[in-house]
Amino acid sequence: MRLVLVCAVAIACGWSAAAQLRPLDNPGAGASLPPVTIASFAAEGATPDWGGTWGVWPQVEGCGGEATWVAEDAEGGPGGSMRIAYEIGADPRSFSLWFAPARKVDLAACDRVTVCARGDVPSFTLVVKDDSADPAGTTDAGIADLLVTGVTDQWQRLELRFADFVPRVAGATIDWHSINHVGVAAMADRNAVSGTLQVDNLRALPVPGRGPADQRTELGRLIPDARLLWVRDDRIYCTRLGEWDPQPATRQPGKEGRPRWSPDGTQVVYWAEHPDGTGVWLMSADFSDRRLILPGAGVADWTADGNAITAIAAIAADRQQVLMHDLATGETSVIYDSRELPYRDTAIRLEQIAELHASGRYLLIWTENFGHATLVVDLVNRRYLANGRMLGGDCSPAWAPDGSFLIGTARDWAHRRAVVRAAFDAETGTIAPSEYFCGDGTCHFQRVSSDGNWVVYAPQLDSRELFCWRVGDPQGATVRLTFDPAQDVSPSLFLPGDVASAAGPSGARQGQPAVGSEAGATLAVELDGLHELLAQLRPAEGVPARFGEPAYFERNRSTLVQLVQLVARLREQYPGSAVAGEAAAVAARYGLPEETAEEGNQQITVVAVIERSSRVPSAAQIAPYREALTYVRYRVERVISGDYAGDRLLVVHWGMRDARPVPAAQWQAGLRQRLTVDLFGAHPELQRVTAADDADDLTLTPYWALSVEPSE
């Protein structure tokens, strides 16, 4: 059987984003986490509550069944339930109703599952699967079953323990941090071979008495002397984690932002706009002895040895410099000038970061150019370094204290922004492909702690809130720190006694020219580009993921054609390399031809009525981004031109431009339009724009709106 679940980390961890809690930063000790609802069958055709899709398996002669929505809620609510009628007389002698999301789910904070059931059979089987041993689901590895007995013809709410699930592989355990299948099943070796079962309100329940405040308290006991700085309402706040008591760090009039602890925790650098000066300020750890050190500059960071501070200074509208201020001598030098050499023939506009690597040789920068790009400047060899993910949509980058890796945020194929990590080799200047690190939702402002063992970041809930995660822990161990309706951003975490050491000599930056020409594509960049395309592929239910399968090809036409072209180029350009080997493996896995005459795009014109619009976030919610897309699902009434056989259509529109909502952000169900669209996958420049995608149930191929007009 195959059943899959997905949810955002905020749901998987059990934290609700709906309530604004008072008093500030105190959600109430002992408050329980809310249940994780898998499926409530609230309406006919509704997707599972935690996202993704659902279906039944198998459908072969002599073995199969159907699941029908019934307007009857088991607990008397306004929704419905699902009636399952099945017959399992032939192989594979089992039948299941499964739930299939886009990514694994962390249920480690839960210990029980509840389900409402009734039927003319005495039992059924609940099945779960994690993705730790066999992500493809081709074996029994990671699968566990629980026999549910005592079913009658009356509704019952059954509560079942996770501990009672039995792994199919003897001696195995289930990783509740990475569940990717759940379902209701009938199996011939333990359940009736035919019958009818009605189920409703399938939920996972959290361990009692461990609310967010309890988790924060436990974290404070673990690292009591850790000191946290962040910005709320243009003021710098501070607290010790062992004694949570947020207070403004200063009482100065004006605005403040972006505080950073020094490597030894004795000083704080920050930006401020005060009556007595605007620019980069420095103060001691007790927030006294404040002084303006770089007037007019901003975006300040420490060098790894704590002896100097870097900052960005705007010289002209199209020119910026990165300054380095030596604290011992008071001298300020220029280590980077955006006019030295453009990147891809374009002048770079610096924002968010200008941070030196621990070796002093590499400078981490970010620009809004190129669809938001993170770049590493090699100050010795005068070149830019990046991997594929960094060049399109990466945001809020930062070095690890020892320079062994860098982090940022990047949007995955489900349009969520998580924190990603890329290993960095300072000897060769090589950046590995980015990989998932932590977080979910719309993450920003991530920083690694002074000892390199913790990450603090700010995902978007109702407002931005701060979370803390220990490197290497399961995602379910992430701890929410703030619970305030205000925006909490720009955190900096210092742990006394565990200061990361400065690495390597700093002579590389002395007297070196700023930047030089781009070095050209590396194998790491090529490999990351291949992974980017693979992440865009969408499943076609019941159809193998093969180029030659018509339904799968039409679901992924643009991406598959691009894959054929990229794989062919990589194998020709890099023969015998690891990237060529992976390209060959991709070709085999998806049955890619060596070349194709298929078009990678198609254009259609239809008259359609909106069924569902996504909720476009506000400009404040997606800051620092200024643009957003919105997914809109339509019911097709008429095809005017082109070839389209479906009765539903998923179209991506602009929802926000230049931090202002556009008309599509206000569209409601029932609006009839005439649309000319082509495949969204044919627009790589749009793939990393922030997107509101709650109208996307992952069952349709997304199209891009070329033109839209009202239709009578």
Side-chain angles (χ1 to χ4, degrees):
M1 65 179 302
R2 298 291 177 265
L3 31 147
V4 191
L5 304 179
V6 71
C7 68
V9 163
I11 297 175
C13 294
W15 293 316
S16 169
Q20 293 183 349
L21 301 158
R22 294 285 178 172
L24 298 186
D25 299 308
N26 185 9
S32 295
L33 303 175
V36 178
T37 299
I38 299 166
S40 64
F41 311 111
E44 185 171 10
T47 57
D49 295 66
W50 58 1
T53 186
W54 62 273
V56 295
W57 181 90
Q59 292 286 36
V60 298
E61 185 176 352
C63 187
E66 62 180 3
T68 307
W69 185 82
V70 180
E72 176 189 9
D73 187 85
E75 297 175 328
S81 55
M82 195 68 73
R83 178 179 293 142
I84 306 166
Y86 69 90
E87 166 69 46
I88 53 176
D91 287 338
R93 303 279 287 171
S94 66
F95 178 78
S96 65
L97 168 66
W98 52 261
F99 305 92
R103 63 193 300 156
K104 63 187 178 184
V105 176
D106 191 334
L107 294 181
C110 301
D111 67 348
R112 293 155 294 151
V113 63
T114 64
V115 60
C116 297
R118 72 177 184 180
D120 60 10
V121 293
S123 67
F124 63 94
T125 301
L126 279 180
V127 183
V128 298
K129 181 185 179 300
D130 65 42
D131 73 347
S132 60
D134 179 20
T138 57
T139 71
D140 283 343
I143 300 178
D145 305 314
L146 176 59
L147 178 63
V148 183
T149 60
V151 179
T152 70
D153 61 357
Q154 301 297 314
W155 280 115
Q156 298 180 75
R157 183 178 182 272
L158 306 167
E159 187 169 308
L160 311 156
R161 300 191 311 160
F162 282 7
D164 292 331
F165 278 85
V166 179
R168 293 186 186 177
V169 177
T173 58
I174 294 298
D175 182 1
W176 293 99
H177 294 290
S178 59
I179 299 300
N180 69 357
H181 293 72
V182 163
V184 177
M187 299 183 177
D189 62 348
R190 69 192 71 178
N191 307 121
V193 297
S194 65
T196 301
L197 179 70
Q198 195 168 349
V199 296
D200 195 12
N201 298 333
L202 181 59
R203 300 184 177 102
L205 302 183
V207 177
R210 287 192 73 249
D214 300 292
Q215 294 176 325
R216 188 177 67 191
T217 300
E218 291 173 11
L219 178 65
R221 294 192 188 106
L222 182 64
I223 46 174
D225 294 325
R227 290 178 277 157
L228 180 69
L229 296 170
W230 76 97
V231 175
R232 172 184 293 170
D233 292 331
D234 295 323
R235 306 298 302 174
I236 296 174
Y237 276 72
C238 62
T239 189
R240 287 176 61 251
L241 294 194
E243 190 176 290
W244 189 266
D245 184 25
Q247 297 292 330
T250 75
R251 302 289 179 179
Q252 297 292 103
K255 297 180 180 180
E256 300 168 340
R258 209 173 180 280
R260 295 287 185 265
W261 286 111
S262 62
D264 62 1
T266 62
Q267 298 181 91
V268 177
V269 67
Y270 64 105
W271 174 88
E273 183 183 72
H274 291 322
D276 47 355
T278 297
V280 174
W281 289 68
L282 188 68
M283 59 182 171
S284 62
D286 63 359
F287 313 123
S288 64
D289 190 26
R290 293 181 294 272
R291 59 192 187 277
L292 180 64
I293 59 172
L294 289 172
V299 192
D301 282 288
W302 292 89
T303 57
D305 56 14
N307 294 328
I309 289 168
T310 59
I312 297 174
I315 306 304
D318 61 347
R319 183 185 183 187
Q320 288 138 328
Q321 292 178 338
V322 177
L323 310 178
M324 187 166 69
H325 179 79
D326 189 302
L327 294 177
T329 66
E331 296 180 355
T332 300
S333 59
V334 176
I335 62 170
Y336 173 90
D337 191 313
S338 64
R339 272 194 188 168
E340 280 290 323
L341 280 174
Y343 179 75
R344 293 183 177 177
D345 298 322
T346 303
I348 289 179
R349 186 175 69 185
L350 298 178
E351 297 179 74
Q352 291 194 4
I353 192 78
E355 185 179 13
L356 271 175
H357 184 265
S359 66
R361 171 175 172 172
Y362 303 98
L363 179 69
L364 182 65
I365 62 174
W366 184 90
T367 177
E368 201 172 51
N369 304 118
F370 324 111
H372 300 171
T374 294
L375 297 166
V376 174
V377 185
D378 183 340
L379 299 177
V380 174
N381 292 325
R382 304 186 181 189
R383 58 174 183 164
Y384 290 102
L385 310 171
N387 65 28
R389 188 178 289 273
M390 291 166 59
L391 292 176
D394 196 19
C395 193
S396 298
W399 288 115
D402 65 357
S404 62
F405 63 91
L406 56 94
I407 62 173
T409 60
R411 196 189 74 185
D412 65 15
W413 70 277
H415 313 299
R416 300 177 179 91
R417 284 197 174 273
V419 181
V420 295
R421 172 188 184 277
F424 182 73
D425 186 335
E427 291 295 324
T428 62
T430 301
I431 305 173
S434 300
E435 57 186 9
Y436 175 78
F437 196 38
C438 66
D440 206 339
T442 306
C443 297
H444 281 107
F445 306 105
Q446 55 278 348
R447 295 289 296 179
V448 182
S449 64
S450 60
D451 68 339
N453 292 327
W454 302 84
V455 177
V456 283
Y457 62 96
Q460 179 68 48
L461 303 179
D462 282 351
S463 60
R464 288 218 179 273
E465 305 293 350
L466 300 185
F467 285 73
C468 184
W469 176 70
R470 181 163 54 183
V471 176
D473 273 1
Q475 289 304 305
T478 305
V479 177
R480 181 171 173 176
L481 299 177
T482 60
F483 302 83
D484 192 87
Q487 302 284 328
D488 291 319
V489 298
S490 298
S492 179
L493 183 64
F494 175 76
L495 278 74
D498 289 307
V499 179
S501 61
S506 59
R509 62 176 177 250
Q510 313 242 341
Q512 295 295 338
V515 296
S517 59
E518 186 182 4
T522 66
L523 291 181
V525 172
E526 296 281 24
L527 190 60
D528 208 50
L530 181 63
H531 293 164
E532 290 287 327
L533 280 179
L534 292 174
Q536 295 172 27
L537 291 171
R538 293 183 168 219
E541 186 177 343
V543 176
R546 306 285 290 178
F547 184 95
E549 290 286 344
Y552 187 77
F553 178 80
E554 290 306 326
R555 176 62 55 84
N556 298 283
R557 170 184 285 270
S558 178
T559 304
L560 286 171
V561 170
Q562 292 177 65
L563 273 174
V564 170
Q565 296 167 348
L566 178 59
V567 164
R569 183 178 65 78
L570 295 180
R571 297 175 74 175
E572 178 181 357
Q573 189 169 344
Y574 305 105
S577 69
V579 72
E582 182 150 349
V586 168
R589 186 187 318 155
Y590 294 97
L592 302 180
E594 293 185 1
E595 58 183 20
T596 179
E598 293 282 358
E599 294 291 333
N601 199 2
Q602 60 182 15
Q603 183 172 304
I604 59 174
T605 300
V606 301
V607 173
V609 176
I610 293 178
E611 285 187 340
R612 183 179 178 184
S613 296
S614 298
R615 180 184 175 186
V616 178
S618 68
Q621 287 175 319
I622 67 169
Y625 302 119
R626 300 176 62 82
E627 296 179 332
L629 306 176
T630 181
Y631 283 62
V632 179
R633 192 171 69 231
Y634 292 84
R635 173 172 50 82
V636 177
E637 292 189 338
R638 180 161 49 100
V639 178
I640 297 174
S641 64
D643 183 17
Y644 192 79
D647 59 356
R648 295 192 307 156
L649 179 69
L650 183 67
V651 181
V652 185
H653 303 262
W654 284 112
M656 181 185 299
R657 302 299 303 269
D658 196 25
R660 297 181 180 180
V662 298
Q666 309 299 324
W667 289 344
Q668 301 294 323
L671 181 64
R672 178 178 285 103
Q673 297 174 328
R674 176 186 171 119
L675 305 102
T676 298
V677 299
D678 66 359
L679 289 171
F680 182 59
H683 297 273
E685 74 280 3
L686 299 173
Q687 299 304 311
R688 290 192 167 277
V689 178
T690 299
D693 62 349
D694 37 301
D696 179 12
D697 61 5
L698 303 179
T699 64
L700 298 171
T701 301
Y703 284 75
W704 172 247
L706 300 173
S707 66
V708 183
E709 58 187 62
S711 178
E712 297 297 330

